[in-house]
Amino acid sequence: MQAGRLAAFTFCAIFACAALGSGLDRMAEVQASPAWTAGGPVHARQDLWHATKAVRDADDSAIAVAMRAVRSNPASGRALTLLGAAYAQAGQQPDAHAAFLVAARTGWRDPLTQAYLYEAALETGDYISASRRADALLRTEPRAVSAARLLSPLEASGQGRKALAVRLAGNPPWRSAYLAMNDLGGGDAARMRGAALAGLVHAGLPLSCEEASSAARALVDRGHQGQARQLWQSHCDKTSAGAIADADWAGLARTLEHGTKPSPFGWRAYPAADIAMSVVTSANGKQAIRLSGSATVSRPMLAQPVTLTPGLYRATIATRASGRLALSLSCGIEPRRPSLTEGDVALDGQLIVAPGCDTQILSIWLMPGTGDVTLGPLRIKPVAG
């Protein structure tokens, strides 16, 4: 293993953060006093303090100082970890590896030891061992260790994803946050996370619908709608392949009335302080959505990700509120204001153009005006060329 790579990941990502939460600050509180020259436990603690500081500062004397800490703390995994770190900083990899292996025998809770052995396992392609070390790090230092940075090498490999699936099957405490992708931005990191989660089905470890919903929504929010649909259908709802979800508002009604979580491809409401959204029963006995209040500017009220074939469509909504509703179909993850609207959804229908992109979003806008607006079924049909 290259000393530069070890230092870049282990010491910066793990030691500088996680070690602070592992008791080293408490050691640092021991101030200089006559007890510094005494023997016994106090002397042993002082040796650990000096070794910690020497390694953290990358001091040239770190190996000698850490060796002294090992002699005064022969049963301490921490002292052996510091010795391994000092050897690694000096580029003495065989000695570093030997020290960390001995330190590992004292338990799984030392973050620096686990980080070193994690990288060592990755270097040799031992993804099963690497996944165990990563699991130990995320269990012992959940706030200090970045799951995105730590697990990306596993997520990038087929064998790594299989090993990661085994760890997830054990329901570790970091599972929920991992599925929700709270630690990720967008781009390739989210794509790799989605691939890792999709592989759980092939490993015979399907997610619950609630977990799949959380992960699919996270992928949608990061611009990976196609991957989100595949994950959702493979883990939970194999029938949700339609272009428009919940066109009759039943799912949205359950969310508004009972607080149930919507499908990741259902309607998302955009609350407005001066517009109330409620569920009503229409004349034909079916549920409808009512918007109550006065709008002085156009604003999005509802939106959902869709997968329409590029082309021209006609959209209608069963409503009497002519001129009060407009649809927008655009690319991206946030609703865009309707630019040019031809037709009226309340009459013969509004013409909308489905763009050629992988992240289409359909949004319903309330236009300026007064009075309640009731939304009946939404229908979108292609216009024959």
Side-chain angles (χ1 to χ4, degrees):
M1 183 188 300
Q2 297 179 357
R5 177 180 171 184
L6 174 78
F9 177 78
T10 302
F11 296 110
C12 294
I14 303 298
F15 190 73
C17 298
L20 292 177
S22 301
L24 296 184
D25 273 351
R26 290 189 295 275
M27 295 179 190
E29 291 172 1
V30 178
Q31 302 296 320
S33 71
W36 282 85
T37 61
V42 173
H43 177 71
R45 288 181 61 198
Q46 292 161 356
D47 285 345
L48 279 174
W49 187 91
H50 281 302
T52 299
K53 186 176 185 303
V55 171
R56 182 170 293 165
D57 296 343
D59 193 278
D60 291 340
S61 65
I63 292 176
V65 176
M67 189 70 77
R68 185 167 62 246
V70 171
R71 287 194 293 267
S72 62
N73 298 268
S76 170
R78 171 65 64 177
L80 288 163
T81 294
L82 292 170
L83 180 60
Y87 277 134
Q89 286 178 327
Q92 299 182 31
Q93 295 308 312
D95 292 329
H97 193 71
F100 278 118
L101 284 178
V102 177
R105 296 174 187 170
T106 65
W108 289 78
R109 299 191 62 83
D110 185 84
L112 188 54
T113 297
Q114 298 307 320
Y116 177 92
L117 294 176
Y118 172 69
E119 287 202 345
L122 289 177
E123 289 282 348
T124 60
D126 186 353
Y127 292 106
I128 294 177
S129 178
S131 68
R132 290 172 177 166
R133 302 297 176 183
D135 182 27
L137 280 166
L138 292 171
R139 286 173 183 268
T140 57
E141 299 292 344
R143 296 183 180 180
V145 179
S146 165
R149 187 175 182 183
L150 181 69
L151 298 178
S152 59
L154 293 174
E155 294 171 334
S157 158
Q159 292 299 316
R161 290 193 291 270
K162 289 181 180 179
L164 190 55
V166 174
R167 302 270 71 80
L168 288 168
N171 197 28
W174 48 271
R175 174 176 167 133
S176 295
Y178 179 82
L179 297 177
M181 305 187 195
N182 297 333
D183 56 322
L184 294 182
D188 288 342
R191 179 184 57 78
M192 289 195 300
R193 179 70 56 84
L197 297 180
L200 291 175
V201 168
H202 304 298
L205 303 168
L207 301 174
S208 68
C209 284
E210 183 176 355
E211 291 176 326
S213 176
S214 176
R217 183 178 294 275
L219 286 170
V220 168
D221 290 343
R222 289 159 177 79
H224 298 282
Q225 186 183 134
Q227 192 178 35
R229 286 187 183 277
Q230 291 176 359
L231 186 146
W232 176 244
Q233 291 170 14
S234 62
H235 283 279
C236 186
D237 187 355
K238 294 179 172 56
T239 65
S240 61
I244 306 298
D246 196 21
D248 295 326
W249 317 112
L252 177 60
R254 287 193 296 272
T255 298
L256 293 175
E257 290 187 320
H258 306 295
T260 59
K261 289 186 178 180
S263 158
F265 303 100
W267 294 108
R268 298 192 190 188
Y270 288 76
D274 52 349
I275 303 295
M277 185 180 299
S278 59
V279 180
V280 296
T281 302
S282 61
N284 60 7
K286 294 185 178 181
Q287 290 176 315
I289 302 300
R290 176 171 292 170
L291 305 177
S292 304
S294 300
T296 57
V297 295
S298 57
R299 63 183 60 185
M301 300 306 300
L302 296 165
Q304 69 166 266
V306 297
T307 54
L308 291 172
T309 301
L312 183 64
Y313 293 80
R314 186 180 302 276
T316 61
I317 295 178
T319 181
R320 297 179 180 178
S322 177
R324 295 295 311 281
L325 296 171
L327 268 62
S328 172
L329 186 54
S330 57
C331 297
I333 59 176
E334 293 295 336
R336 290 187 183 178
R337 186 184 304 273
S339 52
L340 298 174
T341 57
E342 181 179 346
D344 189 329
V345 294
L347 300 175
D348 294 331
Q350 176 190 336
L351 293 178
I352 55 176
V353 177
C357 59
D358 296 330
T359 55
Q360 297 174 350
I361 183 168
L362 174 69
S363 53
I364 300 177
W365 291 66
L366 181 65
M367 311 308 284
T370 59
D372 294 348
V373 176
T374 301
L375 284 68
L378 164 69
R379 299 292 181 260
I380 297 180
K381 299 180 179 180
V383 176

